[in-house]
């Protein structure tokens, strides 16, 4: 989605430059094309910013799901003990 919007932004930017250059050469009827290109660029910009915000929010959610930022050493010690006990049982059994 972002790549498509970026492509649309490039096209709108090219159209804007063409229209502005045309207006500078005295073709005032191309001012409408410049206005349309600016509107298209603005709309594409807001879509890109919205999508980037969604991606960043998703990244934060995924990172938050990985860990809470605190380490429960007691629980870790208990888990290590259980795993060692299973290894001992497997080795003797």
């Amino acid at each position: 989605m972002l790549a498509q919007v970026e492509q649309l932004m490039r096209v709108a930017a090219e159209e804007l430059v063409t229209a502005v250059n045309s207006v500078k050469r005295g073709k005032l009827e191309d001012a409408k094309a410049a206005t349309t290109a600016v509107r298209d660029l603005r709309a594409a910009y807001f879509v890109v910013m919205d999508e980037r915000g969604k991606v960043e929010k998703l990244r934060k959610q995924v990172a938050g799901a990985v860990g809470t930022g605190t380490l429960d050493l007691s629980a870790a010690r208990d888990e290590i003990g259980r795993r060692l006990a299973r290894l001992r049982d497997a080795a003797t059994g």
Side-chain angles (χ1 to χ4, degrees), residues 62-75:
V62 168
V66 171
T68 60
T70 61
L71 182 60
D72 185 351
L73 294 178
S74 179

Side-chain angles (χ1 to χ4, degrees), residues 10-52:
R10 268 187 246 106
V11 169
E14 290 169 4
E15 289 174 359
L16 177 60
V17 169
T18 301
V20 167
N21 287 337
S22 182
V23 170
K24 284 182 180 179
R25 287 191 305 271
K27 293 186 177 181
L28 298 180
E29 63 275 4
D30 288 340
K32 183 176 180 180
T35 302
T36 302
V38 168
R39 191 175 324 123
D40 292 346
L41 276 171
R42 181 182 170 129
Y45 171 80
F46 283 116
V47 169
V48 168
M49 291 296 107
D50 185 49
E51 290 300 315
R52 285 185 179 172

Side-chain angles (χ1 to χ4, degrees), residues 2 51-67:
L2 288 175
E51 290 300 315
R52 285 185 179 172
K54 289 176 185 176
V55 168
E56 190 59 33
K57 182 178 177 182
L58 182 60
R59 280 189 188 138
K60 287 179 182 179
Q61 287 175 349
V62 168
V66 171

